[in-house]
Amino acid sequence: MIPKYISLKNKLNNDILENKYPIGSKLPTEVELAKEYKVSRSTVRQALDLLVEQGIIDKHWGSGNTVIAKSDNSKSKTVMVLLPNNKDAVFTDVFSDISSMLMKNGFEVEFHSTQNSYQLERQYLQLLMNDIYAGLIIMMARSNFPSTNVDLLQLQCKRQLPIVFIDTAPSAIYNPVIISTDNYGRGYQMARHLINRGHKKLGGIFVNDNYSSIQAFSGFTDAIRDANLEIIDNSYHFCNYHDPQGVNSRTNAGINRFLKYAYDTVSAVYVDDPNITGDGTFPIFTSSLTPSKSLGKECANAIMEIKKNGNSKSVTIPFKAN
């Protein structure tokens, strides 16, 4: 026989799915549920505890039980992956490694490209509210800026959804698991590489709303300072990851105008985003470094570790020369 508390949990779950108790609403009290379903308060308590464990309700002493999600368990073996771009070669490789590792271990993978948009990111995070997923791997939209979607992430943390962040996590998330590459070290190594080749005045182009690029800028300028060389303000240009309407920070013409003036002062300009190019009139230097481990595989391993043990360690992957 199915235990009474399991049967009650399933009945309550069906009532939630059928919108008898919509998301955000309060369930009846334990006494009211016991009377309605003709069971003991102990049975009600056990059923509610299961719904809490599955992230369907949020239970707080003195304030009742709030419905926070619906679940028909159709996504219980699916990991959602949110990345800024589905065309960039770097992200394609990351997703490919995540997929191959997770699928070998019996998981499905659901990929969405946020296009570095807060709005799109929110739409996809809201999909998590309607089901119980196996996990989430996310590179935050506009990762160098505060997230507008931290409320949804905090709610998923309450539901104990395994979450792995790529590069950085919102400061409001407690003890996040972050898999990152050593972008500070990448910037530092690239500056040292150019200095060792005889360049004493350096410039750069970085992405102002991307956490990893700003970390690279920090490493790049620290290496220049450590070499007792001058940091020349006007030789640095900051682009957006995606230009909003009416802004042209990434156009070839705009990049070329910057390079024209920068090369009046410097002998080398490092470009941190390989998708940024000029028209070829002026030389640019891009990173020749690669991560020493697969970022995607480390993310997949972290999700599986959380599923198995309830937690995982953050990892920072160093870069190596090709």
Side-chain angles (χ1 to χ4, degrees):
M1 291 181 61
I2 299 174
K4 287 185 178 181
Y5 73 93
I6 297 291
S7 296
L8 178 57
K9 188 273 293 184
N10 290 336
K11 288 177 183 177
L12 289 171
N13 190 47
N14 286 334
D15 286 343
I16 292 169
L17 284 170
E18 292 171 4
N19 237 30
K20 179 179 179 180
Y21 305 118
I23 291 177
S25 67
K26 299 282 187 183
L27 291 181
T29 66
E30 290 182 3
V31 172
E32 291 169 336
L33 288 171
K35 183 177 179 179
E36 180 179 352
Y37 292 99
K38 297 179 173 59
V39 294
S40 68
R41 286 189 65 183
S42 174
T43 297
V44 171
R45 206 168 289 123
Q46 287 178 288
L48 294 176
D49 286 344
L50 280 179
L51 292 172
V52 170
E53 288 178 13
Q54 293 179 358
I56 297 171
I57 67 171
D58 190 20
K59 187 175 182 180
H60 285 289
W61 179 259
S63 61
N65 302 292
T66 305
V67 179
I68 61 174
K70 295 181 179 182
S71 174
D72 59 9
N73 295 320
S74 63
K75 300 288 188 178
S76 61
K77 295 293 287 182
T78 300
V79 175
M80 182 183 288
V81 179
L82 298 182
L83 297 175
N85 199 317
N86 60 351
K87 296 179 180 179
D88 190 302
V90 172
F91 295 129
T92 300
D93 289 344
V94 169
F95 176 67
S96 176
D97 287 344
I98 289 173
S99 298
S100 62
M101 180 68 70
L102 288 177
M103 292 177 73
K104 285 178 183 177
N105 286 274
F107 294 93
E108 299 293 327
V109 179
E110 179 179 317
F111 171 69
H112 299 287
S113 171
T114 66
Q115 299 301 313
N116 212 40
S117 160
Y118 287 142
Q119 288 176 290
L120 277 178
E121 181 181 78
R122 191 167 191 86
Q123 289 177 23
Y124 296 132
L125 288 174
Q126 285 174 329
L127 295 177
L128 295 169
M129 304 303 300
N130 297 323
D131 217 323
I132 302 297
Y133 280 70
L136 169 67
I137 298 173
I138 179 170
M139 178 179 282
M140 300 299 300
R142 307 187 73 184
S143 57
N144 195 47
F145 296 157
S147 173
T148 64
N149 298 319
V150 69
D151 58 326
L152 296 182
L153 291 167
Q154 287 175 316
L155 189 52
Q156 294 305 326
C157 289
K158 283 185 179 180
R159 296 175 67 188
Q160 298 184 330
L161 177 75
I163 302 178
V164 170
F165 294 92
I166 298 177
D167 279 344
T168 187
S171 59
I173 300 298
Y174 174 72
N175 196 27
V177 176
I178 302 172
I179 308 299
S180 61
T181 49
D182 180 14
N183 297 296
Y184 175 92
R186 172 167 56 83
Y188 197 100
Q189 289 184 67
M190 285 307 302
R192 287 302 317 170
H193 170 72
L194 293 171
I195 292 168
N196 291 340
R197 291 180 62 179
H199 297 285
K200 302 304 180 185
K201 292 186 177 181
L202 301 178
I205 299 176
F206 297 87
V207 183
N208 64 10
D209 57 356
N210 180 268
Y211 178 83
S212 66
S213 189
I214 296 305
Q215 289 295 298
F217 167 73
S218 181
F220 192 82
T221 52
D222 278 359
I224 295 171
R225 188 188 63 246
D226 290 348
N228 294 317
L229 299 176
E230 183 182 8
I231 297 173
I232 305 166
D233 289 354
N234 291 337
S235 66
Y236 292 91
H237 177 62
F238 294 89
C239 299
N240 301 303
Y241 186 85
H242 284 305
D243 277 335
Q245 290 183 342
V247 177
N248 297 304
S249 67
R250 296 175 66 98
T251 63
N252 283 353
I255 295 298
N256 217 54
R257 280 195 298 272
F258 164 74
L259 292 172
K260 176 182 178 181
Y261 290 107
Y263 273 111
D264 286 340
T265 306
V266 303
S267 62
V269 175
Y270 166 65
V271 180
D272 195 57
D273 183 341
N275 296 308
I276 295 173
T277 59
D279 65 2
T281 303
F282 300 96
I284 57 175
F285 298 83
T286 56
S287 176
S288 58
L289 307 173
T290 56
S292 59
K293 295 181 181 179
S294 164
L295 179 64
K297 289 180 179 178
E298 291 295 322
C299 289
N301 283 332
I303 280 286
M304 292 186 291
E305 180 72 15
I306 298 171
K307 295 287 289 182
K308 181 180 179 181
N309 299 320
N311 203 356
S312 182
K313 293 181 179 180
S314 294
V315 174
T316 300
I317 302 169
F319 281 87
K320 63 179 182 179
N322 287 328

